[in-house]
mmCIF file of all heavy atoms in Angstrom:
data_model
loop_
_atom_site.group_PDB
_atom_site.id
_atom_site.type_symbol
_atom_site.label_atom_id
_atom_site.label_comp_id
_atom_site.label_asym_id
_atom_site.label_seq_id
_atom_site.Cartn_x
_atom_site.Cartn_y
_atom_site.Cartn_z
ATOM 1 N N PHE X 41 -10.168 -3.010 -8.825
ATOM 2 C CA PHE X 41 -9.557 -1.916 -8.178
ATOM 3 C C PHE X 41 -10.666 -0.755 -7.976
ATOM 4 O O PHE X 41 -11.597 -0.704 -8.747
ATOM 5 C CB PHE X 41 -8.648 -1.247 -9.297
ATOM 6 C CG PHE X 41 -7.188 -1.748 -9.223
ATOM 7 C CD1 PHE X 41 -6.898 -3.112 -9.315
ATOM 8 C CD2 PHE X 41 -6.162 -0.871 -9.346
ATOM 9 C CE1 PHE X 41 -5.665 -3.666 -9.249
ATOM 10 C CE2 PHE X 41 -4.938 -1.385 -9.346
ATOM 11 C CZ PHE X 41 -4.617 -2.699 -9.336
ATOM 12 N N LEU X 42 -10.463 -0.045 -6.870
ATOM 13 C CA LEU X 42 -11.297 1.089 -6.597
ATOM 14 C C LEU X 42 -10.289 2.205 -6.683
ATOM 15 O O LEU X 42 -9.303 2.274 -5.885
ATOM 16 C CB LEU X 42 -11.984 1.098 -5.219
ATOM 17 C CG LEU X 42 -12.470 2.427 -4.750
ATOM 18 C CD1 LEU X 42 -13.589 2.995 -5.656
ATOM 19 C CD2 LEU X 42 -13.094 2.208 -3.297
ATOM 20 N N ILE X 43 -10.472 3.212 -7.515
ATOM 21 C CA ILE X 43 -9.402 4.225 -7.742
ATOM 22 C C ILE X 43 -9.955 5.623 -7.553
ATOM 23 O O ILE X 43 -11.129 5.929 -7.693
ATOM 24 C CB ILE X 43 -8.538 4.108 -9.078
ATOM 25 C CG1 ILE X 43 -9.361 4.490 -10.297
ATOM 26 C CG2 ILE X 43 -8.008 2.680 -9.240
ATOM 27 C CD1 ILE X 43 -8.489 4.507 -11.521
ATOM 28 N N GLY X 44 -9.087 6.552 -7.098
ATOM 29 C CA GLY X 44 -9.391 7.929 -6.939
ATOM 30 C C GLY X 44 -8.258 8.751 -7.595
ATOM 31 O O GLY X 44 -7.473 8.315 -8.242
ATOM 32 N N ALA X 45 -8.461 10.095 -7.305
ATOM 33 C CA ALA X 45 -7.645 11.016 -8.121
ATOM 34 C C ALA X 45 -6.146 10.806 -7.885
ATOM 35 O O ALA X 45 -5.369 11.264 -8.893
ATOM 36 C CB ALA X 45 -8.026 12.448 -7.653
ATOM 37 N N GLY X 46 -5.715 10.216 -6.818
ATOM 38 C CA GLY X 46 -4.338 9.945 -6.658
ATOM 39 C C GLY X 46 -3.716 9.057 -7.839
ATOM 40 O O GLY X 46 -2.485 9.011 -7.973
ATOM 41 N N ALA X 47 -4.581 8.346 -8.357
ATOM 42 C CA ALA X 47 -4.054 7.365 -9.435
ATOM 43 C C ALA X 47 -3.688 8.215 -10.729
ATOM 44 O O ALA X 47 -3.038 7.655 -11.499
ATOM 45 C CB ALA X 47 -5.120 6.379 -9.816
ATOM 46 N N SER X 48 -4.059 9.443 -10.775
ATOM 47 C CA SER X 48 -3.784 10.289 -11.987
ATOM 48 C C SER X 48 -2.935 11.476 -11.745
ATOM 49 O O SER X 48 -2.704 12.148 -12.673
ATOM 50 C CB SER X 48 -5.139 10.725 -12.564
ATOM 51 O OG SER X 48 -5.878 9.584 -12.966
ATOM 52 N N PHE X 56 -8.052 16.302 -5.549
ATOM 53 C CA PHE X 56 -8.998 17.186 -5.023
ATOM 54 C C PHE X 56 -8.447 17.872 -3.711
ATOM 55 O O PHE X 56 -8.443 19.137 -3.562
ATOM 56 C CB PHE X 56 -10.460 16.602 -4.725
ATOM 57 C CG PHE X 56 -11.110 16.268 -6.004
ATOM 58 C CD1 PHE X 56 -10.970 15.096 -6.631
ATOM 59 C CD2 PHE X 56 -11.971 17.218 -6.584
ATOM 60 C CE1 PHE X 56 -11.573 14.748 -7.763
ATOM 61 C CE2 PHE X 56 -12.694 16.896 -7.735
ATOM 62 C CZ PHE X 56 -12.505 15.664 -8.333
ATOM 63 N N ARG X 57 -8.164 17.018 -2.782
ATOM 64 C CA ARG X 57 -7.893 17.526 -1.341
ATOM 65 C C ARG X 57 -6.493 17.864 -1.010
ATOM 66 O O ARG X 57 -6.307 18.419 0.069
ATOM 67 C CB ARG X 57 -8.591 16.523 -0.382
ATOM 68 C CG ARG X 57 -10.084 16.680 -0.596
ATOM 69 C CD ARG X 57 -10.804 15.568 0.233
ATOM 70 N NE ARG X 57 -12.294 15.675 -0.017
ATOM 71 C CZ ARG X 57 -12.854 15.232 -1.036
ATOM 72 N NH1 ARG X 57 -12.275 14.586 -1.931
ATOM 73 N NH2 ARG X 57 -14.164 15.399 -1.186
ATOM 74 N N LEU X 62 -7.371 20.625 -6.722
ATOM 75 C CA LEU X 62 -8.457 21.169 -7.360
ATOM 76 C C LEU X 62 -9.448 22.093 -6.391
ATOM 77 O O LEU X 62 -9.805 23.290 -6.772
ATOM 78 C CB LEU X 62 -9.431 20.182 -8.075
ATOM 79 C CG LEU X 62 -8.867 19.474 -9.161
ATOM 80 C CD1 LEU X 62 -9.825 18.425 -9.698
ATOM 81 C CD2 LEU X 62 -8.413 20.482 -10.429
ATOM 82 N N HIS X 101 -3.029 2.856 -14.486
ATOM 83 C CA HIS X 101 -3.858 2.582 -15.613
ATOM 84 C C HIS X 101 -3.364 1.458 -16.532
ATOM 85 O O HIS X 101 -3.976 0.588 -17.040
ATOM 86 C CB HIS X 101 -4.123 3.838 -16.443
ATOM 87 C CG HIS X 101 -4.659 4.941 -15.608
ATOM 88 N ND1 HIS X 101 -3.910 6.129 -15.353
ATOM 89 C CD2 HIS X 101 -5.915 5.088 -15.104
ATOM 90 C CE1 HIS X 101 -4.606 6.927 -14.496
ATOM 91 N NE2 HIS X 101 -5.828 6.344 -14.410
ATOM 92 N N VAL X 116 -13.078 -2.176 -12.606
ATOM 93 C CA VAL X 116 -12.474 -1.006 -12.029
ATOM 94 C C VAL X 116 -13.580 -0.008 -11.638
ATOM 95 O O VAL X 116 -14.324 0.404 -12.510
ATOM 96 C CB VAL X 116 -11.657 -0.237 -13.080
ATOM 97 C CG1 VAL X 116 -10.828 0.957 -12.387
ATOM 98 C CG2 VAL X 116 -10.587 -1.159 -13.849
ATOM 99 N N VAL X 117 -13.647 0.202 -10.413
ATOM 100 C CA VAL X 117 -14.644 1.177 -9.925
ATOM 101 C C VAL X 117 -13.829 2.483 -9.771
ATOM 102 O O VAL X 117 -12.897 2.658 -8.872
ATOM 103 C CB VAL X 117 -15.255 0.843 -8.435
ATOM 104 C CG1 VAL X 117 -16.179 1.840 -8.014
ATOM 105 C CG2 VAL X 117 -15.820 -0.568 -8.633
ATOM 106 N N THR X 118 -14.153 3.446 -10.616
ATOM 107 C CA THR X 118 -13.288 4.725 -10.580
ATOM 108 C C THR X 118 -14.165 5.892 -10.371
ATOM 109 O O THR X 118 -15.346 6.061 -10.818
ATOM 110 C CB THR X 118 -12.564 4.884 -12.007
ATOM 111 O OG1 THR X 118 -11.897 6.090 -11.815
ATOM 112 C CG2 THR X 118 -13.523 5.012 -13.187
ATOM 113 N N GLN X 119 -13.610 6.744 -9.370
ATOM 114 C CA GLN X 119 -14.331 8.010 -9.033
ATOM 115 C C GLN X 119 -13.751 9.060 -9.942
ATOM 116 O O GLN X 119 -14.217 10.165 -9.931
ATOM 117 C CB GLN X 119 -13.897 8.452 -7.609
ATOM 118 C CG GLN X 119 -14.455 7.440 -6.518
ATOM 119 C CD GLN X 119 -13.812 7.587 -5.166
ATOM 120 O OE1 GLN X 119 -14.244 8.361 -4.330
ATOM 121 N NE2 GLN X 119 -12.673 7.087 -4.939
ATOM 122 N N ASN X 120 -12.822 8.717 -10.768
ATOM 123 C CA ASN X 120 -12.187 9.655 -11.622
ATOM 124 C C ASN X 120 -12.922 9.965 -12.926
ATOM 125 O O ASN X 120 -13.582 9.028 -13.415
ATOM 126 C CB ASN X 120 -10.711 9.252 -12.014
ATOM 127 C CG ASN X 120 -9.881 9.243 -10.736
ATOM 128 O OD1 ASN X 120 -10.309 9.664 -9.733
ATOM 129 N ND2 ASN X 120 -8.704 8.464 -10.910
ATOM 130 N N ILE X 121 -12.868 11.121 -13.422
ATOM 131 C CA ILE X 121 -13.710 11.594 -14.533
ATOM 132 C C ILE X 121 -12.791 11.830 -15.748
ATOM 133 O O ILE X 121 -13.181 12.374 -16.812
ATOM 134 C CB ILE X 121 -14.444 12.842 -14.237
ATOM 135 C CG1 ILE X 121 -13.584 14.074 -13.781
ATOM 136 C CG2 ILE X 121 -15.572 12.526 -13.226
ATOM 137 C CD1 ILE X 121 -14.405 15.164 -13.508
ATOM 138 N N ASP X 122 -11.431 11.393 -15.593
ATOM 139 C CA ASP X 122 -10.484 11.716 -16.646
ATOM 140 C C ASP X 122 -10.482 10.774 -17.808
ATOM 141 O O ASP X 122 -9.856 11.028 -18.858
ATOM 142 C CB ASP X 122 -9.065 11.853 -16.042
ATOM 143 C CG ASP X 122 -8.697 10.691 -15.259
ATOM 144 O OD1 ASP X 122 -8.966 9.502 -15.667
ATOM 145 O OD2 ASP X 122 -8.000 10.813 -14.213
ATOM 146 N N GLY X 123 -11.064 9.535 -17.645
ATOM 147 C CA GLY X 123 -11.196 8.579 -18.717
ATOM 148 C C GLY X 123 -9.875 7.823 -19.111
ATOM 149 O O GLY X 123 -9.756 7.251 -20.123
ATOM 150 N N GLU X 125 -8.552 5.259 -17.719
ATOM 151 C CA GLU X 125 -8.716 3.801 -17.722
ATOM 152 C C GLU X 125 -8.877 3.299 -19.176
ATOM 153 O O GLU X 125 -8.218 2.405 -19.711
ATOM 154 C CB GLU X 125 -9.821 3.362 -16.851
ATOM 155 C CG GLU X 125 -9.736 3.795 -15.355
ATOM 156 C CD GLU X 125 -10.308 5.127 -15.241
ATOM 157 O OE1 GLU X 125 -10.848 5.721 -16.163
ATOM 158 O OE2 GLU X 125 -10.187 5.567 -13.953
ATOM 159 N N VAL X 135 -15.143 -0.822 -16.745
ATOM 160 C CA VAL X 135 -14.827 0.433 -16.125
ATOM 161 C C VAL X 135 -16.115 1.047 -15.597
ATOM 162 O O VAL X 135 -17.019 1.380 -16.436
ATOM 163 C CB VAL X 135 -14.138 1.389 -17.015
ATOM 164 C CG1 VAL X 135 -13.791 2.701 -16.222
ATOM 165 C CG2 VAL X 135 -12.914 0.786 -17.575
ATOM 166 N N HIS X 136 -16.260 1.203 -14.252
ATOM 167 C CA HIS X 136 -17.519 1.686 -13.643
ATOM 168 C C HIS X 136 -17.254 3.081 -13.171
ATOM 169 O O HIS X 136 -16.676 3.224 -12.083
ATOM 170 C CB HIS X 136 -17.983 0.718 -12.718
ATOM 171 C CG HIS X 136 -18.007 -0.669 -13.131
ATOM 172 N ND1 HIS X 136 -18.807 -1.038 -14.209
ATOM 173 C CD2 HIS X 136 -17.463 -1.687 -12.724
ATOM 174 C CE1 HIS X 136 -18.465 -2.390 -14.409
ATOM 175 N NE2 HIS X 136 -17.742 -2.848 -13.446
ATOM 176 N N CYS X 137 -17.612 4.106 -13.981
ATOM 177 C CA CYS X 137 -17.296 5.497 -13.673
ATOM 178 C C CYS X 137 -18.335 6.024 -12.723
ATOM 179 O O CYS X 137 -19.357 6.651 -13.210
ATOM 180 C CB CYS X 137 -17.250 6.366 -14.909
ATOM 181 S SG CYS X 137 -15.925 5.928 -16.082
ATOM 182 N N VAL X 138 -18.269 5.808 -11.425
ATOM 183 C CA VAL X 138 -19.374 6.059 -10.470
ATOM 184 C C VAL X 138 -19.590 7.611 -10.404
ATOM 185 O O VAL X 138 -20.672 8.013 -9.924
ATOM 186 C CB VAL X 138 -19.121 5.506 -9.222
ATOM 187 C CG1 VAL X 138 -19.351 3.988 -9.165
ATOM 188 C CG2 VAL X 138 -17.729 5.714 -8.591
ATOM 189 N N HIS X 139 -18.641 8.440 -10.631
ATOM 190 C CA HIS X 139 -18.765 9.896 -10.729
ATOM 191 C C HIS X 139 -18.907 10.429 -12.171
ATOM 192 O O HIS X 139 -18.739 11.584 -12.396
ATOM 193 C CB HIS X 139 -17.758 10.564 -10.031
ATOM 194 C CG HIS X 139 -17.837 10.316 -8.472
ATOM 195 N ND1 HIS X 139 -16.835 10.575 -7.543
ATOM 196 C CD2 HIS X 139 -18.862 9.781 -7.735
ATOM 197 C CE1 HIS X 139 -17.240 10.310 -6.273
ATOM 198 N NE2 HIS X 139 -18.387 9.835 -6.396
ATOM 199 N N GLY X 140 -19.200 9.454 -13.030
ATOM 200 C CA GLY X 140 -19.340 9.976 -14.481
ATOM 201 C C GLY X 140 -17.993 10.160 -15.160
ATOM 202 O O GLY X 140 -16.998 9.743 -14.721
ATOM 203 N N SER X 141 -18.095 10.765 -16.364
ATOM 204 C CA SER X 141 -16.852 10.914 -17.083
ATOM 205 C C SER X 141 -16.958 12.285 -17.852
ATOM 206 O O SER X 141 -17.869 12.570 -18.468
ATOM 207 C CB SER X 141 -16.574 9.667 -17.962
ATOM 208 O OG SER X 141 -15.550 9.928 -18.939
ATOM 209 N N LEU X 142 -15.743 12.910 -18.098
ATOM 210 C CA LEU X 142 -15.552 14.052 -18.991
ATOM 211 C C LEU X 142 -15.484 13.673 -20.491
ATOM 212 O O LEU X 142 -15.344 14.449 -21.288
ATOM 213 C CB LEU X 142 -14.401 14.842 -18.582
ATOM 214 C CG LEU X 142 -14.510 15.699 -17.350
ATOM 215 C CD1 LEU X 142 -13.142 16.385 -17.100
ATOM 216 C CD2 LEU X 142 -15.557 16.817 -17.503
ATOM 217 N N ILE X 187 -20.933 14.118 -15.752
ATOM 218 C CA ILE X 187 -20.239 13.935 -14.445
ATOM 219 C C ILE X 187 -21.266 14.060 -13.334
ATOM 220 O O ILE X 187 -22.204 14.807 -13.543
ATOM 221 C CB ILE X 187 -19.002 14.802 -14.168
ATOM 222 C CG1 ILE X 187 -19.380 16.371 -14.310
ATOM 223 C CG2 ILE X 187 -17.862 14.433 -15.166
ATOM 224 C CD1 ILE X 187 -18.333 17.321 -13.947
ATOM 225 N N VAL X 188 -20.982 13.504 -12.155
ATOM 226 C CA VAL X 188 -21.875 13.571 -11.069
ATOM 227 C C VAL X 188 -21.432 14.730 -10.118
ATOM 228 O O VAL X 188 -20.254 14.783 -9.683
ATOM 229 C CB VAL X 188 -21.905 12.381 -10.183
ATOM 230 C CG1 VAL X 188 -22.892 12.383 -9.058
ATOM 231 C CG2 VAL X 188 -22.389 11.147 -11.108
ATOM 232 N N PHE X 190 -21.926 17.348 -6.749
ATOM 233 C CA PHE X 190 -22.413 17.157 -5.416
ATOM 234 C C PHE X 190 -23.950 17.719 -5.434
ATOM 235 O O PHE X 190 -24.281 18.587 -6.251
ATOM 236 C CB PHE X 190 -21.732 18.036 -4.395
ATOM 237 C CG PHE X 190 -20.407 17.356 -3.927
ATOM 238 C CD1 PHE X 190 -19.095 17.818 -4.503
ATOM 239 C CD2 PHE X 190 -20.474 16.328 -3.054
ATOM 240 C CE1 PHE X 190 -17.980 17.070 -4.187
ATOM 241 C CE2 PHE X 190 -19.346 15.631 -2.732
ATOM 242 C CZ PHE X 190 -18.116 15.984 -3.231
ATOM 243 N N LEU X 194 -25.915 9.310 -7.950
ATOM 244 C CA LEU X 194 -25.072 8.420 -8.789
ATOM 245 C C LEU X 194 -26.024 7.637 -9.756
ATOM 246 O O LEU X 194 -27.249 7.416 -9.341
ATOM 247 C CB LEU X 194 -24.313 7.501 -7.973
ATOM 248 C CG LEU X 194 -22.995 8.011 -7.502
ATOM 249 C CD1 LEU X 194 -23.045 9.272 -6.643
ATOM 250 C CD2 LEU X 194 -22.205 6.956 -6.537
ATOM 251 N N THR X 198 -24.883 2.178 -13.007
ATOM 252 C CA THR X 198 -23.346 2.020 -12.867
ATOM 253 C C THR X 198 -22.961 1.601 -11.479
ATOM 254 O O THR X 198 -22.064 0.849 -11.264
ATOM 255 C CB THR X 198 -22.776 3.429 -13.039
ATOM 256 O OG1 THR X 198 -23.284 3.920 -14.342
ATOM 257 C CG2 THR X 198 -21.269 3.463 -13.060
ATOM 258 N N ALA X 202 -20.886 -1.745 -10.242
ATOM 259 C CA ALA X 202 -19.734 -1.570 -9.310
ATOM 260 C C ALA X 202 -19.852 -2.584 -8.221
ATOM 261 O O ALA X 202 -18.911 -3.251 -7.702
ATOM 262 C CB ALA X 202 -19.601 -0.189 -8.818
ATOM 263 N N PHE X 212 -9.034 -7.144 -3.900
ATOM 264 C CA PHE X 212 -9.432 -5.609 -3.851
ATOM 265 C C PHE X 212 -8.326 -4.768 -3.646
ATOM 266 O O PHE X 212 -7.659 -4.924 -2.598
ATOM 267 C CB PHE X 212 -10.528 -5.464 -2.872
ATOM 268 C CG PHE X 212 -11.004 -4.070 -2.687
ATOM 269 C CD1 PHE X 212 -11.661 -3.391 -3.664
ATOM 270 C CD2 PHE X 212 -10.696 -3.402 -1.465
ATOM 271 C CE1 PHE X 212 -12.109 -2.181 -3.530
ATOM 272 C CE2 PHE X 212 -11.186 -2.050 -1.403
ATOM 273 C CZ PHE X 212 -11.741 -1.475 -2.473
ATOM 274 N N VAL X 213 -8.030 -3.816 -4.598
ATOM 275 C CA VAL X 213 -7.039 -2.829 -4.451
ATOM 276 C C VAL X 213 -7.560 -1.431 -4.495
ATOM 277 O O VAL X 213 -8.192 -1.022 -5.437
ATOM 278 C CB VAL X 213 -5.981 -3.091 -5.568
ATOM 279 C CG1 VAL X 213 -4.660 -2.215 -5.255
ATOM 280 C CG2 VAL X 213 -5.603 -4.527 -5.786
ATOM 281 N N CYS X 214 -7.356 -0.751 -3.392
ATOM 282 C CA CYS X 214 -7.842 0.594 -3.298
ATOM 283 C C CYS X 214 -6.738 1.546 -3.559
ATOM 284 O O CYS X 214 -5.828 1.636 -2.642
ATOM 285 C CB CYS X 214 -8.428 0.732 -1.873
ATOM 286 S SG CYS X 214 -9.519 2.261 -1.689
ATOM 287 N N VAL X 215 -6.763 2.419 -4.605
ATOM 288 C CA VAL X 215 -5.584 3.173 -4.921
ATOM 289 C C VAL X 215 -5.815 4.696 -5.040
ATOM 290 O O VAL X 215 -6.761 5.093 -5.811
ATOM 291 C CB VAL X 215 -5.117 2.669 -6.389
ATOM 292 C CG1 VAL X 215 -3.761 3.465 -6.773
ATOM 293 C CG2 VAL X 215 -4.808 1.177 -6.365
ATOM 294 N N GLY X 216 -5.085 5.494 -4.353
ATOM 295 C CA GLY X 216 -5.197 6.881 -4.529
ATOM 296 C C GLY X 216 -6.465 7.554 -4.296
ATOM 297 O O GLY X 216 -6.746 8.651 -4.980
ATOM 298 N N THR X 217 -7.226 7.104 -3.335
ATOM 299 C CA THR X 217 -8.523 7.929 -2.949
ATOM 300 C C THR X 217 -8.387 8.157 -1.351
ATOM 301 O O THR X 217 -7.927 7.351 -0.627
ATOM 302 C CB THR X 217 -9.725 7.075 -3.275
ATOM 303 O OG1 THR X 217 -10.827 7.836 -2.784
ATOM 304 C CG2 THR X 217 -9.739 5.684 -2.843
ATOM 305 N N SER X 218 -8.910 9.290 -1.026
ATOM 306 C CA SER X 218 -8.949 9.678 0.410
ATOM 307 C C SER X 218 -10.193 8.929 0.981
ATOM 308 O O SER X 218 -10.249 8.837 2.299
ATOM 309 C CB SER X 218 -9.217 11.170 0.552
ATOM 310 O OG SER X 218 -10.387 11.598 -0.128
ATOM 311 N N LEU X 219 -11.040 8.304 0.200
ATOM 312 C CA LEU X 219 -12.175 7.417 0.650
ATOM 313 C C LEU X 219 -12.956 8.276 1.598
ATOM 314 O O LEU X 219 -13.371 7.899 2.761
ATOM 315 C CB LEU X 219 -11.660 6.120 1.268
ATOM 316 C CG LEU X 219 -12.457 4.882 0.948
ATOM 317 C CD1 LEU X 219 -12.800 4.768 -0.387
ATOM 318 C CD2 LEU X 219 -11.649 3.612 1.437
ATOM 319 N N ARG X 220 -13.253 9.483 1.327
ATOM 320 C CA ARG X 220 -13.983 10.405 2.101
ATOM 321 C C ARG X 220 -15.411 10.775 1.591
ATOM 322 O O ARG X 220 -16.280 11.457 2.316
ATOM 323 C CB ARG X 220 -13.231 11.717 2.363
ATOM 324 C CG ARG X 220 -12.101 11.662 3.117
ATOM 325 C CD ARG X 220 -11.859 12.965 3.765
ATOM 326 N NE ARG X 220 -10.513 13.265 3.893
ATOM 327 C CZ ARG X 220 -10.078 14.538 4.048
ATOM 328 N NH1 ARG X 220 -10.841 15.548 4.121
ATOM 329 N NH2 ARG X 220 -8.743 14.804 3.998
ATOM 330 N N VAL X 221 -15.694 10.494 0.357
ATOM 331 C CA VAL X 221 -16.937 10.905 -0.225
ATOM 332 C C VAL X 221 -17.959 9.734 -0.384
ATOM 333 O O VAL X 221 -17.676 8.784 -0.994
ATOM 334 C CB VAL X 221 -16.703 11.523 -1.650
ATOM 335 C CG1 VAL X 221 -18.001 11.816 -2.311
ATOM 336 C CG2 VAL X 221 -15.870 12.754 -1.477
ATOM 337 N N GLN X 222 -19.092 9.897 0.280
ATOM 338 C CA GLN X 222 -20.026 8.899 0.213
ATOM 339 C C GLN X 222 -20.906 8.963 -1.094
ATOM 340 O O GLN X 222 -20.922 10.018 -1.751
ATOM 341 C CB GLN X 222 -21.017 9.100 1.397
ATOM 342 C CG GLN X 222 -20.398 8.821 2.706
ATOM 343 C CD GLN X 222 -20.005 7.391 3.064
ATOM 344 O OE1 GLN X 222 -20.240 6.494 2.194
ATOM 345 N NE2 GLN X 222 -19.413 7.149 4.067
ATOM 346 N N PRO X 223 -21.502 7.947 -1.620
ATOM 347 C CA PRO X 223 -21.506 6.603 -0.924
ATOM 348 C C PRO X 223 -20.235 5.694 -1.263
ATOM 349 O O PRO X 223 -20.220 4.679 -0.589
ATOM 350 C CB PRO X 223 -22.793 5.934 -1.544
ATOM 351 C CG PRO X 223 -22.848 6.594 -2.943
ATOM 352 C CD PRO X 223 -22.401 7.942 -2.734
ATOM 353 N N ILE X 224 -19.409 6.211 -2.100
ATOM 354 C CA ILE X 224 -18.172 5.321 -2.438
ATOM 355 C C ILE X 224 -17.378 4.997 -1.181
ATOM 356 O O ILE X 224 -16.895 3.807 -1.036
ATOM 357 C CB ILE X 224 -17.431 6.042 -3.501
ATOM 358 C CG1 ILE X 224 -18.258 6.458 -4.645
ATOM 359 C CG2 ILE X 224 -16.248 5.122 -3.912
ATOM 360 C CD1 ILE X 224 -19.146 5.353 -5.229
ATOM 361 N N ALA X 225 -17.227 5.936 -0.263
ATOM 362 C CA ALA X 225 -16.485 5.712 0.848
ATOM 363 C C ALA X 225 -16.865 4.448 1.718
ATOM 364 O O ALA X 225 -15.925 3.708 2.359
ATOM 365 C CB ALA X 225 -16.474 6.906 1.821
ATOM 366 N N SER X 226 -18.099 4.101 1.638
ATOM 367 C CA SER X 226 -18.552 2.903 2.423
ATOM 368 C C SER X 226 -18.663 1.670 1.571
ATOM 369 O O SER X 226 -18.828 0.617 2.166
ATOM 370 C CB SER X 226 -20.033 3.254 2.987
ATOM 371 O OG SER X 226 -19.989 4.269 3.804
ATOM 372 N N LEU X 227 -18.454 1.632 0.312
ATOM 373 C CA LEU X 227 -18.595 0.552 -0.519
ATOM 374 C C LEU X 227 -17.679 -0.645 -0.151
ATOM 375 O O LEU X 227 -18.126 -1.722 0.055
ATOM 376 C CB LEU X 227 -18.297 0.884 -2.106
ATOM 377 C CG LEU X 227 -19.374 1.715 -2.762
ATOM 378 C CD1 LEU X 227 -19.118 1.740 -4.209
ATOM 379 C CD2 LEU X 227 -20.835 1.386 -2.463
ATOM 380 N N PRO X 228 -16.295 -0.308 0.084
ATOM 381 C CA PRO X 228 -15.460 -1.495 0.391
ATOM 382 C C PRO X 228 -15.918 -2.167 1.667
ATOM 383 O O PRO X 228 -16.125 -3.323 1.588
ATOM 384 C CB PRO X 228 -14.072 -0.758 0.652
ATOM 385 C CG PRO X 228 -14.179 0.509 -0.170
ATOM 386 C CD PRO X 228 -15.506 0.908 -0.141
ATOM 387 N N TRP X 240 -4.481 -1.548 0.282
ATOM 388 C CA TRP X 240 -4.598 -0.096 0.371
ATOM 389 C C TRP X 240 -3.250 0.600 -0.237
ATOM 390 O O TRP X 240 -2.139 0.233 0.288
ATOM 391 C CB TRP X 240 -4.775 0.465 1.721
ATOM 392 C CG TRP X 240 -4.724 1.913 1.901
ATOM 393 C CD1 TRP X 240 -3.546 2.635 2.325
ATOM 394 C CD2 TRP X 240 -5.745 2.833 1.693
ATOM 395 N NE1 TRP X 240 -3.846 4.051 2.482
ATOM 396 C CE2 TRP X 240 -5.352 4.260 1.997
ATOM 397 C CE3 TRP X 240 -7.019 2.837 1.356
ATOM 398 C CZ2 TRP X 240 -5.953 5.262 2.025
ATOM 399 C CZ3 TRP X 240 -7.922 3.971 1.227
ATOM 400 C CH2 TRP X 240 -7.345 5.213 1.593
ATOM 401 N N ASN X 242 -1.587 4.355 -1.161
ATOM 402 C CA ASN X 242 -1.844 5.761 -0.932
ATOM 403 C C ASN X 242 -0.686 6.363 -0.248
ATOM 404 O O ASN X 242 -0.054 5.608 0.617
ATOM 405 C CB ASN X 242 -3.089 6.112 -0.152
ATOM 406 C CG ASN X 242 -3.622 7.446 -0.358
ATOM 407 O OD1 ASN X 242 -2.869 8.412 -0.116
ATOM 408 N ND2 ASN X 242 -4.936 7.584 -0.802
#
Side-chain angles (χ1 to χ4, degrees):
F41 273 50
L42 167 60
I43 73 176
S48 295
F56 290 87
R57 294 174 178 79
L62 293 174
H101 305 107
V116 186
V117 181
T118 181
Q119 299 166 92
N120 298 345
I121 55 178
D122 52 39
E125 303 85 3
V135 183
H136 311 305
C137 300
V138 285
H139 289 166
S141 174
L142 283 175
I187 57 175
V188 178
F190 282 102
L194 272 57
T198 307
F212 172 69
V213 190
C214 190
V215 184
T217 172
S218 59
L219 219 47
R220 286 212 222 158
V221 176
Q222 295 293 356
I224 305 309
S226 297
L227 293 190
W240 168 266
N242 197 308

